[in-house]
Amino acid sequence: MHTPIDLAARLATFNEAWQPRTVALFNGHDVMVAKLRGDYHWHVHDDTDDFFLVLHGRLDIDLDDGETVSLTAGQVYIVPAGVRHRPRAIEEAHILLIEPTGTPNSGDPLTAAPRRVI
């Protein structure tokens, strides 16, 4: 593929919060965009790190040790595997995620958002 991926255009195709959309594949990983509003639930990814790049807005990530990591546009944070966390966005935030294909966004396949490719 020789066409750049326009992340803003892809984000404009949906409104649902906490429902990542795969926009590309990278070495067995999904490159995804998502819109976030409000609080997500506490969860953990036992076997994978959780990569967050904020494209727009502000994202807070509460960690199990009581700390909160605050990110604004252009900032990245990686939650290490096995660390319980809760992402939240008071106002709508747009993010880019990179995860091994098949990783449940909730940490649990039973409660994960379905994989959607756009």
Side-chain angles (χ1 to χ4, degrees), residues 29 43-52 61 63-64 77-85 98-100 103-104 107:
H29 291 66
H43 67 285
V44 65
H45 301 274
D46 290 324
D47 300 319
T48 62
D49 297 333
D50 211 357
F51 174 98
F52 295 90
I61 304 172
L63 303 174
D64 211 19
Y77 184 73
I78 300 169
V79 178
V83 173
R84 193 168 168 259
H85 60 285
I98 301 172
E99 295 179 346
T103 300

Side-chain angles (χ1 to χ4, degrees), residues 16-74:
E16 299 88 0
W18 307 107
Q19 301 291 316
R21 304 300 204 271
T22 300
V23 297
L25 297 175
F26 175 73
N27 294 328
H29 291 66
D30 286 338
V31 177
M32 299 171 284
V33 292
K35 294 181 177 180
L36 312 182
R37 290 184 299 274
D39 294 354
Y40 198 60
H41 62 272
W42 285 95
H43 67 285
V44 65
H45 301 274
D46 290 324
D47 300 319
T48 62
D49 297 333
D50 211 357
F51 174 98
F52 295 90
L53 167 61
V54 176
L55 302 171
H56 169 80
R58 175 188 169 118
L59 174 65
D60 293 318
I61 304 172
D62 298 323
L63 303 174
D64 211 19
D65 65 4
E67 278 197 58
T68 297
V69 176
S70 296
L71 304 170
T72 58

Side-chain angles (χ1 to χ4, degrees), residues 86-106:
R86 175 182 64 178
R88 55 189 173 86
I90 295 170
E91 295 183 16
E92 184 168 281
H94 300 169
I95 64 168
L96 182 129
L97 304 161
I98 301 172
E99 295 179 346
T101 299
T103 300
N105 71 320
S106 65

